[in-house]
Amino acid sequence: MHTAVVWAVECAAWQPSSREFEHLLGFCDATRRNEVLSFKFEMDQRRALLSTLLQRKATCAIARADPSTLQISRTRGRKPYAVLNPPSAEAPNFSFNVSHDGNFVAISAHTHLLCGMDVFAKGDRRPTSFLVDTLSQQSRRYYEGLPLEWQGGYAELLFSVKEAYTKAVGVGLGQELRDISFAPDIPALWSVPFKGTRSGIFKVKIATTETEYVANKSVANDSWSRRTGSEEASILAEPCRTEEWRLEVQWIDSEHLAVMAAGCPLCAVDAWGGFRRQFQHPELVPGKGDEPLFSGEGERERERE
């Protein structure tokens, strides 16, 4: 049985004492401790600490890691991952991603698929004009066909879906969001609060007409970099051999939406190679069907043909 989870913590409701906060900081290594304490505001420190604790909790609970020896590392693109030694039989392709916005810090994790997530609080994102600029030509046509009162919420949703995808593959802000489109279009109804989970299989398309992607021989074989003039910039996503991704949305409450993306581990961009070396069955892809993946029930996956 494959396991996929989404956990969310309302950080605004967590008011740790100084003693409790210091105790929990003890679960961070020296580097992470300094990162947490580097934030100026107490709320930001709490969010950063909660993120670390959720990563450790998910890795120990799902991948059965030993908490006394657990190490969290990062790819060159800053995607966190657990260094599992020995490898996990229960979670052969273990992947997780953490996000926070508004009142919540949340984590998604999967035992067999590459995963990413994004949380956003409605109305707290950048202006609609900025969000519209991140739409692909295909998505803009769908957006412009919506009623005016739906457009702002849909632009927020699509931005969050792209964030979840780029976090999953490990490129983050290094990828031009306007170059990413989905087939079919993400349904506008997903941007309206609902109960439960909405889920579907989508093909991810990355435009390459204006950007040259070149193989970077100094990094992992499947990693790619953008060439701008004579300089190679940050590592970017490439259209993977399998482009099918499962995308899901859950409303945490009426104001906070969680978006999850799950796909083939071969799509991971990992210049240093430490994350990809963890995968025992990297050929797995999302299973078909409409049953939600991140429902706590898990889902069977099929191997890529």
Side-chain angles (χ1 to χ4, degrees), residues 69-92:
T69 59
L70 174 59
Q71 178 185 354
I72 303 295
S73 188
R74 289 181 181 269
T75 66
R76 179 179 170 186
R78 302 294 294 166
K79 180 178 176 66
Y81 67 92
V83 179
L84 299 176
N85 187 19
S88 171
E90 295 87 351

Side-chain angles (χ1 to χ4, degrees), residues 29-65:
D29 60 29
T31 299
R32 183 55 178 167
R33 177 188 175 92
N34 290 335
E35 289 175 349
V36 170
L37 296 178
S38 69
F39 288 100
K40 178 179 179 180
F41 298 106
E42 182 181 345
M43 177 58 76
D44 291 329
Q45 291 183 0
R46 293 208 304 256
R47 289 192 182 104
L49 179 55
L50 279 172
S51 172
T52 300
L53 296 176
L54 283 171
Q55 292 173 44
R56 291 181 60 85
K57 173 65 176 178
T59 305
C60 294
I62 299 170
R64 308 301 183 191

Side-chain angles (χ1 to χ4, degrees), residues 211-244:
T211 305
E212 179 187 1
Y213 290 88
V214 294
N216 186 339
K217 301 301 183 182
S218 65
V219 298
N221 292 337
D222 293 282
S223 297
W224 291 70
S225 64
R226 170 186 291 176
R227 186 181 297 277
T228 305
S230 61
E231 296 182 357
E232 289 184 351
S234 58
I235 301 302
L236 299 181
E238 61 161 320
C240 189
R241 279 170 281 181
T242 172
E243 297 178 354
E244 288 189 343

Side-chain angles (χ1 to χ4, degrees), residues 284-299:
L284 295 179
V285 299
K288 299 295 186 180
D290 296 326
E291 183 180 352
L293 184 64
F294 292 94
S295 62
E297 297 296 330
E299 175 177 320

Side-chain angles (χ1 to χ4, degrees), residues 168-185:
V169 298
V171 295
L173 297 176
Q175 174 68 55
E176 269 304 341
L177 296 185
R178 67 169 61 92
D179 289 344
I180 303 173
S181 60
F182 304 96
D185 289 298

